[in-house]
Amino acid sequence: MKLIEKKITKLTFVLFGALGDLALRKLYNSLFTLYKNKLINNKINILCLARKVVKINTFRYKIYKRLIKTKYIYNKKELVTIIKFIKCLYFFNMDFTQITHYKILKKIRKNLPLIFYFAVSSNLFKVICKYLNLNKCIEINDKIILEKPIGYNFKSSININNYINNVFFETCIFRIDHYLGKRQVKNLLNLRFLNPIFYNLWTKKYITHIKIILAEKIGIEDRWGYFDKTGQLRDMVQNHLIQILSMVTICIPKNNPFDYKNIKKEKIKFLKDLNNSFLTVDINFGQYISTKLNNKIFNGYLEENNSNKNSSTETFIIIKTTINNFHWYGIPFILISGKRLKKKLSQIKIHFTKNIFNYDLNNKLIVNLQPKEEITFNAFKLNQMSLFLTNKNYLDSYEFLILEVFKGKQDLFVSKEEIDYSWRWIDKLIYLWKQKNIPISYYKSFTWGLTLPGLTPGTYCC
Ligand code: BG6
């Protein structure tokens, strides 16, 4: 503890959940990219907090090794930059539920504004805020980044958000959804609103249905503890998928269409309409089972590390819904998200109507978010039209969004109201699921999962 006190001169970033999956997979990499490109102050000090007892040098070495393993190391100069960055990291083991453990923070914080990153389960958000506050660790301009999903349902998310609002100003709260930082998602409104062809065709008159798929090839692996309490609906649909759906369906704001305040207002209108469309929903839930691929056996969900063999948590979900508003009335939206599917694919597919002579040309616009960033119309590649996509030195989603927090820009973060309405819809889906008594189905790993009546599995993907 003394070591930290002595060495930290300018504390700027405090990371709760420093040894968690998110921090290890994304956050250190993102902070390092910003550091390397001099987008954040090179005097940054990052206090990394986690429950596990680890010596600071062991911790630093662990992060060093991870950074070396990623794309960042090209030459000796970069190695030196990594070493400098690693020295900005301080580790402190802490039980977030113990009030006395927060004293260190009060001692080492200077007058500089801090950014707190809560990369932990949202069960802990309230207690961390409470003890930060009681220990007088928070000052007026401090910012806080909250990871999704916030809460487990509408009630718990309201409860958490209200609590945080008592401690931080709304203008300092950044509810992150990293899909909003992905370039193709940022590009969607440009595609829709700036291009007269798509602007005019983007209506129920010319569209027959829309599919959005967020497929992952990876399974749950070591994340059972988090995932089993969450499930795919709360992990991917409540946030990422609903956000993309909003961007695909919102109306163009009447004034200043690219002002995010106006866009957020349109998103809320859309989310209210989505909630009113509840009766037209059809769903199916599934769990992956083991499979043999290239002579290797891959575990099913119930065989993963630390699993509980009776779990009925879903790793796959398919939803068919309509949106009860003037613009989209009657148009089916098919939303799919799953783990251990055939391949990684995040994609939006807009299917257009037959032509006036009733020929079905199967016209479709495909927006690929990842792994490939690409837009095609009937297999013809379209040039990307975006301010974001022309920049060669682009930042990935976490890098971009963390930098936005440093700049204090909330445009691409999710408002409390958006979260409220997303949860209301998710709660209704779960109610429907329970009411219909639909048992969980099983799907083989590395397939396209399950389907709904009238849809063939896999036909929703290209
Ligand atoms: C996270 C989910 O929000 O997104 C993970 O919690 C998921 O379960 C991840 O694996 C997928 O993100 P990406 O950017 O790899 O598609």
Side-chain angles (χ1 to χ4, degrees):
M1 197 189 294
K2 288 235 168 72
L3 178 86
I4 297 177
E5 280 175 46
K6 215 168 75 195
K7 289 211 169 159
I8 291 192
T9 49
K10 284 188 175 179
L11 179 63
T12 30
F13 204 91
V14 181
L15 176 58
F16 288 86
L19 289 171
D21 183 72
L22 175 69
L24 294 174
R25 272 202 303 149
K26 307 265 188 183
L27 302 183
Y28 299 113
N29 283 0
S30 303
L31 285 163
F32 174 67
T33 306
L34 298 178
Y35 178 90
K36 182 178 89 170
N37 292 316
K38 301 190 174 44
L39 293 168
I40 53 176
N41 192 323
N42 66 357
K43 297 263 165 25
I44 187 172
N45 280 317
I46 303 167
L47 183 60
C48 307
L49 304 169
R51 183 191 268 265
K52 210 167 161 190
V53 182
V54 182
K55 288 207 174 106
I56 180 157
N57 286 339
T58 318
F59 172 76
R60 282 178 172 171
Y61 185 60
K62 185 180 174 86
I63 309 303
Y64 167 85
K65 272 198 319 204
R66 288 191 84 98
L67 288 175
I68 297 278
K69 233 169 105 184
T70 59
K71 56 189 167 158
Y72 298 107
I73 176 80
Y74 299 116
N75 52 42
K76 206 173 151 196
K77 199 171 149 217
E78 301 230 316
L79 190 67
V80 173
T81 317
I82 292 190
I83 294 167
K84 281 190 188 154
F85 173 74
I86 291 295
K87 288 188 180 156
C88 301
L89 302 178
Y90 293 86
F91 181 81
F92 180 58
N93 73 286
M94 167 171 176
D95 180 346
F96 303 148
T97 62
Q98 294 299 317
I99 185 166
T100 50
H101 286 203
Y102 290 73
K103 284 192 180 134
I104 174 83
L105 259 173
K106 172 71 188 156
K107 274 195 190 167
I108 60 176
R109 80 154 298 155
K110 314 285 172 214
N111 288 334
L112 293 170
L114 286 187
I115 296 175
F116 295 102
Y117 199 126
F118 285 13
V120 289
S121 156
S122 65
N123 289 340
L124 290 166
F125 287 4
K126 269 171 70 179
V127 73
I128 299 177
C129 267
K130 183 174 167 190
Y131 291 157
L132 283 173
N133 198 24
L134 289 176
N135 280 291
K136 301 199 172 21
C137 302
I138 304 173
E139 288 182 9
I140 197 153
N141 286 324
D142 289 349
K143 299 187 187 105
I144 177 174
I145 308 177
L146 302 174
E147 258 306 323
K148 44 90 350 204
I150 301 182
Y152 185 74
N153 51 23
F154 173 64
K155 206 170 146 201
S156 56
S157 100
I158 289 263
N159 191 284
I160 296 170
N161 274 319
N162 285 348
Y163 195 92
I164 291 172
N165 273 132
N166 290 333
V167 181
F168 288 90
F169 287 112
E170 184 58 29
T171 48
C172 295
I173 305 176
F174 295 80
R175 300 179 188 86
I176 197 165
D177 181 316
H178 77 279
Y179 269 66
L180 289 182
K182 289 194 190 284
R183 292 201 303 174
Q184 289 289 49
V185 178
K186 289 188 285 187
N187 193 32
L188 265 177
L189 296 185
N190 293 347
L191 175 75
R192 288 190 52 196
F193 298 160
L194 291 181
N195 178 319
I197 300 174
F198 294 120
Y199 176 75
N200 285 309
L201 293 183
W202 211 275
T203 77
K204 67 175 183 220
K205 191 169 168 201
Y206 299 111
I207 289 176
T208 56
H209 58 293
I210 294 182
K211 295 168 190 158
I212 303 176
I213 175 161
L214 303 184
E216 293 178 75
K217 197 169 178 185
I218 53 165
I220 300 306
E221 285 137 25
D222 292 323
R223 296 203 304 149
W224 176 278
Y226 155 77
F227 190 85
D228 199 55
K229 287 189 226 100
T230 312
Q232 194 70 358
L233 188 62
R234 293 177 175 93
D235 186 49
M236 295 291 287
V237 181
Q238 186 272 335
N239 28 74
H240 308 322
L241 215 151
I242 289 190
Q243 283 298 329
I244 296 172
L245 180 63
S246 308
M247 301 296 243
V248 169
T249 52
I250 56 167
C251 295
I252 183 163
K254 288 205 179 68
N255 303 314
N256 210 350
F258 290 96
D259 176 336
Y260 265 84
K261 281 202 189 79
N262 298 334
I263 289 169
K264 277 182 189 165
K265 278 189 202 147
E266 290 301 328
K267 279 162 96 182
I268 300 295
K269 279 194 215 158
F270 153 75
L271 286 165
K272 285 184 181 166
D273 292 338
L274 182 67
N275 269 283
N276 289 335
S277 327
F278 179 58
L279 289 174
T280 51
V281 171
D282 204 356
I283 42 179
N284 201 355
F285 292 77
Q287 213 177 60
Y288 62 84
I289 53 172
S290 73
T291 208
K292 196 170 171 186
L293 190 72
N294 301 333
N295 282 332
K296 193 176 160 198
I297 307 267
F298 287 83
N299 283 340
Y301 180 64
L302 298 182
E303 289 121 28
E304 298 282 27
N305 283 348
N306 305 320
S307 61
N308 151 14
K309 309 287 175 245
N310 300 320
S311 169
S312 57
T313 298
E314 80 288 354
T315 58
F316 175 95
I317 175 147
I318 178 165
I319 304 164
K320 188 169 159 205
T321 186
T322 52
I323 298 166
N324 196 2
N325 66 20
F326 171 77
H327 304 280
W328 296 110
Y329 187 79
I331 302 296
F333 285 80
I334 295 136
L335 314 174
I336 300 143
S337 181
K339 304 257 188 272
R340 259 301 159 68
L341 297 185
K342 196 160 187 141
K343 60 178 180 184
K344 173 87 179 169
L345 181 72
S346 307
Q347 185 184 73
I348 304 162
K349 237 184 190 180
I350 317 280
H351 292 257
F352 291 96
T353 50
K354 295 177 183 177
N355 73 8
I356 46 167
F357 306 108
N358 214 17
Y359 288 129
D360 191 353
L361 298 173
N362 196 13
N363 284 323
K364 54 184 179 298
L365 176 76
I366 297 182
V367 180
N368 272 328
L369 315 182
Q370 53 186 19
K372 225 185 194 173
E373 290 179 324
E374 194 176 71
I375 303 180
T376 58
F377 184 72
N378 288 356
F380 288 106
K381 254 194 215 169
L382 302 186
N383 277 339
Q384 305 276 13
M385 302 169 307
S386 163
L387 307 173
F388 300 108
L389 293 172
T390 49
N391 179 2
K392 282 200 188 108
N393 296 322
Y394 84 94
L395 297 172
D396 87 2
S397 53
Y398 270 102
E399 293 157 1
F400 179 87
L401 292 172
I402 292 175
L403 187 59
E404 292 287 278
V405 180
F406 276 94
K407 293 179 187 164
K409 281 177 75 181
Q410 281 182 315
D411 289 355
L412 289 173
F413 290 82
V414 187
S415 69
K416 199 165 77 166
E417 220 182 342
E418 285 171 66
I419 295 190
D420 290 351
Y421 281 105
S422 311
W423 273 123
R424 281 176 200 249
W425 190 64
I426 295 293
D427 283 359
K428 285 180 185 173
L429 280 182
I430 292 171
Y431 175 78
L432 180 77
W433 184 17
K434 292 203 172 133
Q435 209 191 28
K436 285 194 175 174
N437 218 353
I438 308 170
I440 188 117
S441 308
Y442 298 93
Y443 61 95
K444 244 174 129 178
S445 296
F446 309 118
T447 64
W448 283 118
L450 305 166
T451 187
L452 286 172
L455 293 174
T456 325
T459 54
Y460 38 74
C461 312
C462 59

PDB file of all heavy atoms in Angstrom, residues 125 311 386 440 450:
ATOM      1  N   PHE A 125     -22.199  -2.551  -8.338  1.00  0.00           N
ATOM      2  CA  PHE A 125     -22.139  -1.105  -8.629  1.00  0.00           C
ATOM      3  C   PHE A 125     -22.551  -0.251  -7.416  1.00  0.00           C
ATOM      4  O   PHE A 125     -21.916   0.736  -7.085  1.00  0.00           O
ATOM      5  CB  PHE A 125     -23.049  -0.736  -9.810  1.00  0.00           C
ATOM      6  CG  PHE A 125     -22.538  -1.188 -11.160  1.00  0.00           C
ATOM      7  CD1 PHE A 125     -21.377  -1.944 -11.297  1.00  0.00           C
ATOM      8  CD2 PHE A 125     -23.233  -0.842 -12.320  1.00  0.00           C
ATOM      9  CE1 PHE A 125     -20.926  -2.357 -12.551  1.00  0.00           C
ATOM     10  CE2 PHE A 125     -22.786  -1.245 -13.576  1.00  0.00           C
ATOM     11  CZ  PHE A 125     -21.638  -2.006 -13.681  1.00  0.00           C
ATOM     12  N   SER A 311     -28.172 -26.432 -15.354  1.00  0.00           N
ATOM     13  CA  SER A 311     -28.484 -25.077 -15.805  1.00  0.00           C
ATOM     14  C   SER A 311     -29.358 -25.080 -17.060  1.00  0.00           C
ATOM     15  O   SER A 311     -29.162 -25.877 -17.971  1.00  0.00           O
ATOM     16  CB  SER A 311     -27.187 -24.342 -16.128  1.00  0.00           C
ATOM     17  OG  SER A 311     -27.495 -23.149 -16.789  1.00  0.00           O
ATOM     18  N   SER A 386     -18.481   7.130 -45.204  1.00  0.00           N
ATOM     19  CA  SER A 386     -18.481   7.526 -43.806  1.00  0.00           C
ATOM     20  C   SER A 386     -17.307   8.400 -43.464  1.00  0.00           C
ATOM     21  O   SER A 386     -16.237   8.290 -44.034  1.00  0.00           O
ATOM     22  CB  SER A 386     -18.440   6.287 -42.939  1.00  0.00           C
ATOM     23  OG  SER A 386     -18.049   6.644 -41.656  1.00  0.00           O
ATOM     24  N   ILE A 440     -36.091 -25.246 -22.959  1.00  0.00           N
ATOM     25  CA  ILE A 440     -34.866 -24.890 -23.674  1.00  0.00           C
ATOM     26  C   ILE A 440     -34.559 -25.986 -24.705  1.00  0.00           C
ATOM     27  O   ILE A 440     -34.740 -27.168 -24.431  1.00  0.00           O
ATOM     28  CB  ILE A 440     -33.695 -24.678 -22.684  1.00  0.00           C
ATOM     29  CG1 ILE A 440     -32.466 -24.118 -23.391  1.00  0.00           C
ATOM     30  CG2 ILE A 440     -33.291 -25.947 -21.947  1.00  0.00           C
ATOM     31  CD1 ILE A 440     -32.091 -22.770 -22.892  1.00  0.00           C
ATOM     32  N   LEU A 450     -30.718 -22.632 -33.674  1.00  0.00           N
ATOM     33  CA  LEU A 450     -32.118 -23.034 -33.788  1.00  0.00           C
ATOM     34  C   LEU A 450     -32.870 -22.114 -34.735  1.00  0.00           C
ATOM     35  O   LEU A 450     -32.341 -21.122 -35.190  1.00  0.00           O
ATOM     36  CB  LEU A 450     -32.766 -22.949 -32.404  1.00  0.00           C
ATOM     37  CG  LEU A 450     -32.077 -23.741 -31.308  1.00  0.00           C
ATOM     38  CD1 LEU A 450     -32.594 -23.292 -29.959  1.00  0.00           C
ATOM     39  CD2 LEU A 450     -32.307 -25.231 -31.530  1.00  0.00           C
TER      40      LEU A 450
END
